Amino acid sequence: TGFQKEFRDKVLGVNAHVLVRKNSNDFYEYRDVEKVCTRLPDVVGVQPFMFEEMMMTRGKGVFTGIVLKGVDAKRVESVLDLSKHMIEGTSSVLERHSVDRPAPIVLGRELAYKLRAKVGDEVTIVSPISGIDPKTWTSVRPPKTRKFHVEGIFYAGFAQNDRKLDYVALGQLQDFV
């Protein structure tokens, strides 16, 4: 029906149809899993990704919880329809990185509105548990922070994604966490 199509397009436009995950941070064999998946019938694209819960702020304003998704910038369009949902910039901006400015990030429209962020602005990401010792749950150092340059804004029409989900290049997220 029309409702089903709209719902599917909104959810699957910014999320893959199938996720293969491991319940730990040591998914070293992901390349082997990719090879297996590419041989399955009807698989049209495969790409590694990371999800990390973080905090974001712009300037000295509001801190808000986000989900930062690190994607392979060259393969993102093989598994997502992100380009169809871009209202400013393109999904290919994630491939660009310059040493003279922070790495690119693509924000959801509702989050951009909440932070009053627009393309060209800088946002700061905070990894709140990066300074915590997991054995004792005590703070051993300040949390990691990193600036990103807003290069694009998407609108999927699904509040959960538009308010929390943001995209960066996979390598940038791997270097950060």
Side-chain angles (χ1 to χ4, degrees), residues 55-170:
M55 301 291 293
M56 181 185 286
T57 189
R58 183 176 153 267
K60 296 180 179 166
V62 176
F63 266 93
T64 189
I66 63 162
V67 175
L68 198 55
K69 187 171 186 177
V71 295
D72 181 331
K74 292 183 184 349
R75 294 193 278 170
V76 68
E77 291 300 325
S78 71
V79 295
L80 304 178
D81 292 333
L82 184 58
S83 63
K84 292 179 184 175
H85 298 284
M86 297 297 296
I87 57 174
E88 291 185 55
T90 65
S91 60
S92 66
V93 299
L94 296 174
E95 292 181 47
R96 300 183 206 141
H97 183 55
S98 166
V99 290
D100 5 343
R101 72 174 175 200
I105 188 168
V106 172
L107 304 180
R109 184 184 82 174
E110 301 307 314
L111 177 64
Y113 178 78
K114 181 177 184 176
L115 295 175
R116 294 188 174 110
K118 58 190 180 314
V119 169
D121 287 343
E122 284 186 4
V123 293
T124 302
I125 307 284
V126 178
S127 179
I129 63 168
S130 62
I132 305 287
D133 180 344
K135 293 177 185 160
T136 62
W137 287 101
T138 57
S139 179
V140 293
R141 66 182 180 281
K144 289 182 182 179
T145 64
R146 182 171 288 177
K147 291 194 180 300
F148 286 85
H149 192 259
V150 179
E151 296 276 344
I153 296 174
F154 75 90
Y155 178 67
F158 194 66
Q160 181 70 15
N161 292 330
D162 299 327
R163 186 175 49 240
K164 296 240 180 243
L165 185 60
D166 306 290
Y167 294 92
V168 297
L170 179 60

Side-chain angles (χ1 to χ4, degrees), residues 12-27:
L12 295 178
V14 293
N15 290 296
H17 292 217
V18 176
L19 301 176
V20 177
R21 298 177 63 179
K22 185 174 181 180
N23 258 356
S24 69
N25 288 336
D26 63 350
F27 198 170

